[in-house]
């Protein structure tokens, strides 16, 4: 099955061109391709369309990951120097406007996912098991995309079907319309009985596609974000009680983020990569290339020289505030802290040092470790451009489910379960279990466990903590040298403000659609 979906994914490239452009082009057809209305009538074609949807998710992942983590308070956007990636800098410093390229790409990319999902939901004809599963997988991802839209933009249009030309200029939708679609799609997919469940926590094959428990986890998260705590607790408990997922303990904590443990027991859903040099072009991804340490200002020796994939760009360095949050909770020798990031002193002991006279931009002397590129992660170790890793791209892991459930149970008044769930996370982190639990405990644990994993920004906004956490973000930008941290570039206008509770509807969308209105404050 695993080989089959990857093979289908390669075939889907041609299919994508056909399904996404046919309604825009009037080209004489040759052979037996058929039309949109006849294409989705065989299992093979439906499999190809499903693979195309998964590929669309994978192509969006980089923008989704970078945009949301730049908006949060875990990391500096960093890079080689000031202006290395202006759009990311402006997100990270809250100097962006309505024409930010990352925001535009994420917004349009989410609608591309919705379009591919709607093709399957609206056009698949027939009642085979393959077709029923495809329709409900598409509902899961259509719901996921609308969740991102409503929690980031709030008033973007709901698109629950393939649009006729007369509908292309849809106006703003109320958040309630998004939540209704999200709940409806996920409930329908769950109740359909077509989504599989893993046989056990170690079933690596079934979990490479959307499962029953993934849909339940997404629905539980949607309930929690709406303040429907009892419903969230019930749904998330279904995932936990299934026994189909578990916290990763097969190796050190950080190894779950590497290719060796793709599709491990903690993975709720990850987008697949492949260790195949003949298909290297299909594995190219900027994510780990961007986040690896800034190789051109560092020297490597000893163990580090043997292990680390050099040729990376130095974005997304952890902030001192994140390090301090770890130390306050775990101490400087905390197991999870030291599997998540390194101080410069630890970096030197490992065999990495800043070159004489050089500086590390956007850095306070802390370096992310848990997702650092290793040579063993590479399809090919290409030090000039380290973009060929085969680490899967994570969307959700079981630790997040436990922390969502802890919050839902606490808010619903069930402190016993909330305490159990948070202590499972703490026990894996080798921390002393709590004897009672507060919302602040869950907030702290979630920050440490899921730092730089694309969840914190939306949490800070819904908790009402964003202005406190990020109100001063972007005031000054650090650079790290062997003599210490130097604060250089300064902004006069910076930081999270009330208007940032919702991202701006992209200027391009407003220019093309007179029925769309700006979000408040923009």
């Amino acid at each position: 099955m695993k080989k089959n979906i990857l093979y289908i994914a390669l075939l889907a490239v041609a299919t994508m061109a056909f399904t996404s452009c046919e309604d825009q082009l009037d080209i004489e057809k040759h052979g037996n391709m058929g039309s949109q209305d006849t294409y989705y009538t065989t299992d093979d074609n439906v499999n190809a369309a499903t693979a195309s949807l998964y590929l669309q998710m994978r192509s969006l992942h980089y923008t989704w990951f970078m945009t949301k983590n730049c908006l949060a308070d875990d990391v500096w956007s960093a890079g080689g120097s000031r202006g290395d990636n202006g759009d990311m800098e402006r997100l990270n410093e809250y100097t962006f406007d309505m024409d930010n390229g990352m925001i535009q790409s994420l917004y349009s990319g989410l609608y591309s996912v919705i379009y591919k999902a709607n093709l399957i939901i609206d056009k698949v004809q027939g009642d085979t098991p393959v077709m029923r599963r495809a329709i409900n997988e598409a509902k899961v991802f259509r719901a996921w995309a609308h969740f991102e839209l409503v929690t980031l933009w709030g008033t973007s249009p709901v698109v629950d079907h393939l649009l006729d030309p007369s509908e292309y200029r849809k106006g703003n939708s109320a958040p309630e319309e998004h939540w209704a679609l999200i709940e409806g799609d996920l409930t329908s997919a769950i109740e359909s009985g077509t989504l599989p469940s893993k046989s056990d926590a170690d079933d690596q094959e079934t979990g490479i596609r959307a499962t029953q428990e993934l849909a339940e986890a997404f629905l539980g998260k949607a309930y929690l974000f709406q303040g429907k705590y009892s419903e969230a607790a019930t749904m998330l408990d279904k995932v936990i009680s299934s026994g189909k997922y578990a916290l990763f303990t097969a190796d050190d904590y950080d190894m779950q983020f590497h290719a060796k443990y793709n599709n491990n027991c903690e993975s709720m859903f990850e987008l697949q990569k492949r260790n195949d040099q003949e298909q290297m072009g299909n594995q190219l991804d900027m994510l780990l290339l961007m986040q690896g340490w800034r190789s051109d200002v560092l020297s490597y020796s000893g163990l580090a020289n043997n292990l680390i994939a050099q040729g990376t760009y130095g974005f997304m360095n952890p902030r001192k505030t994140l390090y301090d949050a770890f130390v306050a909770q775990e101490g400087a020798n905390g197991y999870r802290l030291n599997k998540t990031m390194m101080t410069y002193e630890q970096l030197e002991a490992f065999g990495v040092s800043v070159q004489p006279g050089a500086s590390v931009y956007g850095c306070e002397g802390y370096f992310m470790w848990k997702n650092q590129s290793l040579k063993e992660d590479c399809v090919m170790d290409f030090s000039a451009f380290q973009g060929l890793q085969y680490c899967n791209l994570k969307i959700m892991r079981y630790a997040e489910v436990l922390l969502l459930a802890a919050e839902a149970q606490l808010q619903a008044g069930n402190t016993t379960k909330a305490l159990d769930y948070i202590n499972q996370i703490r026990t894996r982190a080798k921390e002393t279990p709590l004897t009672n639990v507060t919302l602040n405990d869950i907030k702290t644990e979630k920050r440490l466990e899921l730092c730089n994993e694309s969840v914190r920004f939306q949490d800070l906004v819904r908790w009402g903590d964003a202005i406190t956490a990020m109100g001063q973000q972007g005031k000054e930008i650090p650079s790290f040298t062997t003599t210490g941290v130097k604060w250089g570039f300064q902004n006069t206008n910076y930081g999270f403000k009330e208007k940032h509770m919702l991202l701006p509807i992209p200027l391009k969308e407003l220019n093309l659609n007179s029925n769309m209105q700006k979000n408040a404050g923009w």
Side-chain angles (χ1 to χ4, degrees):
M1 178 180 173
K2 188 170 183 179
K3 291 182 179 178
N4 184 49
I5 187 64
L6 292 168
Y7 173 69
I8 290 169
L10 299 177
L11 293 179
V13 174
T15 305
M16 282 193 295
F18 165 62
T19 56
S20 63
C21 300
E22 185 203 54
D23 60 336
Q24 302 175 36
L25 300 177
D26 185 15
I27 299 174
E28 182 182 0
K29 296 180 178 67
H30 299 277
N32 191 29
M33 289 181 67
S35 68
Q36 276 192 355
D37 291 330
T38 60
Y39 181 79
Y40 299 91
T41 57
T42 70
D43 284 354
D44 283 347
N45 286 354
V46 170
N47 271 332
T50 302
S52 177
L53 174 58
Y54 277 75
L55 283 173
Q56 187 64 50
M57 290 279 291
R58 199 176 84 175
S59 70
L60 177 63
H61 182 272
Y62 171 85
T63 303
W64 173 80
F65 180 95
M66 288 295 190
T67 300
K68 296 209 299 179
N69 288 306
C70 279
L71 287 167
D73 62 339
D74 287 338
V75 297
W76 298 96
S77 60
S81 61
R82 187 72 190 169
D84 195 356
N85 189 306
D87 279 340
M88 286 174 52
E89 280 180 357
R90 287 184 282 273
L91 289 174
N92 198 229
E93 298 164 21
Y94 284 89
T95 60
F96 61 89
D97 211 329
M98 296 165 61
D99 60 350
N100 183 274
M102 297 286 286
I103 291 176
Q104 168 64 47
S105 293
L106 178 55
Y107 186 92
S108 61
L110 289 167
Y111 279 109
S112 293
V113 170
I114 291 168
Y115 173 71
K116 292 292 180 73
N118 281 338
L119 278 171
I120 295 170
I121 295 166
D122 288 3
K123 294 294 185 181
V124 168
Q125 300 176 21
D127 196 33
T128 69
V130 167
M131 292 177 182
R132 291 195 298 272
R133 175 175 178 169
I135 289 169
N136 287 290
E137 282 180 289
K139 287 180 180 179
V140 170
F141 294 124
R142 182 169 72 176
W144 174 86
H146 278 93
F147 175 90
E148 297 295 329
L149 287 166
V150 72
T151 55
L152 292 172
W153 285 273
T155 68
S156 60
V158 167
V159 180
D160 60 359
H161 62 279
L162 292 172
L163 300 179
D164 292 327
S166 62
E167 300 176 288
Y168 285 170
R169 290 180 172 83
K170 288 178 67 71
N172 303 69
S173 295
E176 293 77 14
E177 296 176 75
H178 283 273
W179 292 120
L181 178 139
I182 292 163
E183 290 186 19
D185 272 355
L186 292 171
T187 300
S188 176
I190 291 165
E191 293 178 351
S192 72
T194 64
L195 298 177
S197 292
K198 292 165 54 175
S199 59
D200 55 43
D202 295 320
D203 178 0
Q204 293 185 318
E205 185 172 303
T206 307
I208 70 174
R209 290 171 64 171
T211 64
Q212 177 86 0
E213 289 73 29
L214 177 67
E216 292 168 348
F218 283 169
L219 182 54
K221 186 173 181 177
Y223 283 143
L224 181 65
F225 268 66
Q226 296 175 81
K228 297 180 177 181
Y229 299 120
S230 294
E231 294 93 330
T234 298
M235 192 57 59
L236 293 164
D237 271 7
K238 287 185 178 181
V239 181
I240 295 166
S241 64
S242 74
K244 304 298 177 66
Y245 301 86
L247 293 176
F248 175 84
T249 57
D251 203 331
D252 283 334
Y253 170 82
D254 54 299
M255 287 305 296
Q256 67 179 302
F257 302 100
H258 294 282
K260 180 180 179 180
Y261 292 105
N262 282 347
N263 304 308
N264 65 69
C265 62
E266 191 163 335
S267 170
M268 292 299 303
F269 184 63
E270 49 193 59
L271 298 159
Q272 303 297 300
K273 303 292 286 295
R274 189 175 183 179
N275 185 16
D276 184 350
Q277 291 196 6
E278 293 183 0
Q279 300 293 336
M280 281 194 300
N282 293 321
Q283 309 311 309
L284 179 64
D285 190 274
M286 294 289 288
L287 187 69
L288 295 178
L289 167 64
M290 289 286 279
Q291 292 184 90
W293 303 328
R294 187 72 195 187
S295 301
D296 63 356
V297 299
L298 300 174
S299 297
Y300 295 77
S301 62
L303 183 61
N305 192 49
N306 293 330
L307 291 181
I308 300 300
Q310 299 163 45
T312 49
Y313 288 177
F315 287 83
M316 316 299 273
N317 295 321
R319 292 173 181 261
K320 184 177 186 297
T321 53
L322 177 60
Y323 177 79
D324 289 345
F326 268 104
V327 172
Q329 186 76 4
E330 303 181 1
N333 294 319
Y335 169 77
R336 181 174 51 185
L337 165 60
N338 286 295
K339 296 300 180 181
T340 299
M341 68 176 76
M342 288 186 177
T343 65
Y344 183 63
E345 290 75 17
Q346 290 170 321
L347 204 71
E348 283 189 305
F350 183 52
V352 183
S353 59
V354 177
Q355 296 170 6
S359 64
V360 185
Y361 176 74
C363 181
E364 296 176 87
Y366 304 96
F367 299 81
M368 198 66 79
W369 170 251
K370 72 179 183 180
N371 57 2
Q372 178 62 217
S373 296
L374 305 179
K375 290 185 177 181
E376 68 180 51
D377 296 327
C378 297
V379 180
M380 175 178 287
D381 182 15
F382 184 40
S383 61
F385 184 82
Q386 205 66 265
L388 294 169
Q389 294 85 15
Y390 65 103
C391 299
N392 286 348
L393 307 175
K394 295 184 184 297
I395 297 292
M396 177 182 265
R397 57 188 178 95
Y398 183 62
E400 183 183 355
V401 174
L402 285 171
L403 290 165
L404 290 168
E407 182 179 350
Q409 293 288 357
L410 179 67
Q411 297 285 29
N414 191 339
T415 56
T416 300
K417 278 193 172 182
L419 189 62
D420 175 30
Y421 295 155
I422 194 172
N423 278 338
Q424 289 185 44
I425 299 291
R426 290 178 61 83
T427 298
R428 196 265 297 273
K430 302 186 179 181
E431 293 302 307
T432 303
L434 299 174
T435 55
N436 56 71
V437 60
T438 67
L439 182 58
N440 280 335
D441 292 327
I442 295 170
K443 289 179 180 181
T444 298
E445 201 65 40
K446 197 170 189 183
R447 183 183 191 187
L448 305 185
E449 177 65 31
L450 301 174
C451 64
N452 201 36
E453 291 189 47
S454 313
V455 300
R456 184 157 169 82
F457 174 73
Q458 285 139 303
D459 278 342
L460 289 172
V461 170
R462 73 180 175 91
W463 287 329
D465 295 341
I467 291 177
T468 300
M470 299 175 295
Q472 296 297 304
Q473 192 156 302
K475 182 177 180 179
E476 294 180 283
I477 313 302
S479 292
F480 179 77
T481 70
T482 54
T483 59
V485 179
K486 297 180 179 180
W487 295 88
F489 185 85
Q490 297 182 344
N491 285 301
T492 56
N493 183 29
Y494 53 84
F496 187 101
K497 303 175 182 63
E498 186 66 28
K499 71 176 184 178
H500 296 114
M501 296 293 287
L502 294 178
L503 297 181
I505 302 296
L507 183 62
K508 179 180 177 181
E509 304 298 323
L510 295 170
N511 287 340
L512 291 172
N513 183 359
S514 60
N515 293 322
M516 284 293 295
Q517 302 298 315
K518 298 177 183 179
N519 276 336
W522 291 97

